[in-house]
Amino acid sequence: MPPPRSLQDLPPKAAHYCLGVERFIRDELRADLSGARVLVAFSGGLDSTALLLSMRYLAGRLDLDLRAAHLDHGLRSESAAQAEACAAFCEKHSVSLYRHRLELDPTSKGLEERARSARYTFLEKVREETGASWILTAHQADDLVEDVLLRLVRGTGWPELGGMPGRDEKRRLLRPLLASPRRDLQVFLEQIDANWLEDTSNVSLEHRRNRFRHQVVPLLEKENPNLSEAVHRLWSLARWDEDFWREMGESAVPANNRDGSILLAAEELAAAPRALRLRRFKAALEALGPGQPLMRNLLNLDQAFLERRTGSTIQFPGGKIAEVKRHVVCFSRTPDSATYND
């Protein structure tokens, strides 16, 4: 049986689901995709299949130029066959697919992170080559719940505790399904009689995310069946807070000194509320490059500053340090780069 050709051909509930995705992109992600070229990260699994098809049926309404990209990591015996299945699926739905295969060593350390990094590098390469405005990934509401819990366990501060952003300007990423629970995606695909591939790696409890998915989240959902909705509200609050600070200009930091360090004046910090002071610390650290400024370290720095412990240094991930001086707090990447004396 051929698939539905347009949004108008869908069953009413499936069409309503697609329109809900459009509304989330427009109202919550504040992205205008009208006439845009977009690239869907397509693995063939349930989530990315729902994303690709929802955008496929919105393409006529939004005048979208829809493309897809599939990266075969070469880590499973069935991955080549799955790549072929993805190609056949895209051909069936008249979507151009860009494919690439890697040969990663499955026994190497940090495999999950290297695979993730390779995936985003590939997607960005295809985006640039095709001139796409955005990369669309299929992270959905259940992924957001897991992400928030993982961030909580790691000690992530606010507003990052609210979970992954739905819109990432720097990487040109959109996550249109963040408000859609996985069960809704499955119902949508079943209504239009669409098939998807099962990823056997999602069952293994070797990865922490899978342990949260199969063991921790079900326990929390017994306590609160509306856990996903609660997390979405938290996500929304975090985004509003980020927008507020951005509009207030409080994420801006002084330019780097010639030695690469960043200085914040102690007098201005002392006059600021703690929430603002912590945000300025965080902005200075982020301006120095990669490495997440953990909340625990930020609080330790703030306490050292309040107690005027001149000479105290706090280390942060990414080879960064903050040193409390008499008239400034100095942020640098290495001890040797902090040359300011007062």
Side-chain angles (χ1 to χ4, degrees):
M1 180 177 178
R5 296 178 59 86
S6 67
L7 187 68
Q8 291 72 25
D9 295 331
L10 295 179
K13 288 186 178 180
H16 180 74
Y17 164 80
C18 292
L19 293 174
V21 172
E22 179 193 357
R23 189 164 51 250
F24 178 75
I25 294 171
R26 182 188 66 236
D27 296 345
E28 298 207 47
L29 303 187
R30 291 184 294 180
D32 182 5
L33 297 186
S34 301
R37 177 174 295 164
V38 296
L39 181 69
V40 172
F42 183 55
S43 69
L46 187 152
D47 300 348
S48 66
T49 299
L51 174 62
L52 184 65
L53 288 182
S54 60
M55 301 311 298
R56 167 70 179 79
Y57 291 121
L58 289 170
R61 177 182 174 89
L62 298 175
D63 190 27
L64 285 179
D65 181 352
L66 182 64
R67 314 287 180 95
H70 176 85
L71 182 63
D72 176 2
H73 294 93
L75 295 174
R76 302 190 312 275
S77 59
E78 67 271 22
S79 66
Q82 291 182 339
E84 291 299 325
C86 288
F89 186 91
C90 287
E91 182 177 2
K92 177 181 178 181
H93 290 276
S94 303
V95 177
S96 297
L97 177 68
Y98 301 83
R99 297 166 55 184
H100 183 63
R101 179 179 171 88
L102 293 176
E103 294 294 344
L104 295 176
D105 180 2
T107 64
S108 63
K109 292 183 178 180
L111 178 62
E112 188 175 5
E113 180 56 35
R114 289 201 299 117
R116 178 181 177 276
S117 177
R119 182 164 62 253
Y120 282 108
T121 298
F122 164 69
L123 290 171
E124 175 58 20
K125 182 174 183 291
V126 176
R127 187 191 73 80
E128 290 182 349
E129 290 177 351
T130 59
S133 300
W134 295 98
I135 297 167
L136 310 186
T137 67
H139 297 93
Q140 32 80 359
D142 295 37
D143 295 321
L144 183 61
V145 171
E146 296 160 15
D147 187 51
V148 167
L149 293 174
L150 287 166
R151 288 172 184 241
L152 179 63
V153 169
R154 290 197 301 264
T156 304
W158 186 258
E160 284 76 10
L161 181 60
M164 68 184 82
R167 173 174 177 157
D168 187 332
E169 289 283 349
K170 184 178 294 186
R171 296 192 293 167
R172 301 303 294 170
L173 288 179
L174 287 180
R175 297 183 170 107
L177 304 183
L178 272 189
S180 302
R182 196 169 195 268
R183 61 179 178 272
D184 290 357
L185 308 187
Q186 183 168 341
V187 169
F188 165 64
L189 294 182
E190 290 172 346
Q191 287 174 336
I192 60 176
D193 198 28
N195 298 319
W196 63 88
L197 304 172
E198 295 292 348
D199 186 349
T200 55
S201 66
N202 288 333
V203 179
S204 170
L205 298 182
E206 180 181 350
H207 302 300
R208 180 159 61 171
R209 180 175 289 276
N210 284 352
R211 293 196 296 273
F212 271 69
R213 176 176 302 171
H214 298 297
Q215 297 177 337
V216 177
V217 172
L219 291 176
L220 295 176
E221 288 178 333
K222 285 184 178 180
E223 300 296 330
N224 179 7
N226 298 316
L227 179 63
S228 181
E229 294 177 19
V231 168
H232 183 75
R233 287 193 294 271
L234 181 71
W235 178 84
S236 297
L237 288 170
R239 301 289 80 78
W240 298 337
D241 270 14
E242 283 185 329
D243 290 345
F244 170 77
W245 289 112
R246 190 180 303 111
E247 291 169 6
M248 293 292 290
E250 294 301 349
S251 294
V253 296
N256 289 16
N257 288 334
R258 283 179 296 178
D259 61 10
S261 63
I262 293 175
L263 308 178
L264 299 182
E267 183 177 357
E268 294 180 7
L269 292 171
R274 175 172 259 190
L276 178 54
R277 193 164 56 246
L278 289 169
R279 178 157 286 274
R280 288 178 174 168
F281 290 161
K282 180 173 177 292
L285 288 159
E286 289 176 340
L288 291 175
Q292 186 180 17
L294 299 177
M295 192 63 185
R296 178 182 64 252
N297 305 52
L298 287 170
L299 292 174
N300 288 340
L301 172 59
D302 195 51
Q303 194 62 36
F305 172 76
L306 290 174
E307 295 175 0
R308 298 295 191 270
R309 288 192 263 124
T310 302
S312 296
T313 60
I314 307 296
Q315 294 193 2
F316 290 86
K320 306 172 191 178
I321 65 167
E323 183 176 2
V324 178
K325 294 178 176 285
R326 186 179 177 188
H327 295 301
V328 298
V329 176
C330 177
F331 298 84
S332 60
R333 291 195 62 86
T334 65
D336 294 334
S337 67
T339 59
Y340 182 89
N341 294 304
D342 62 329

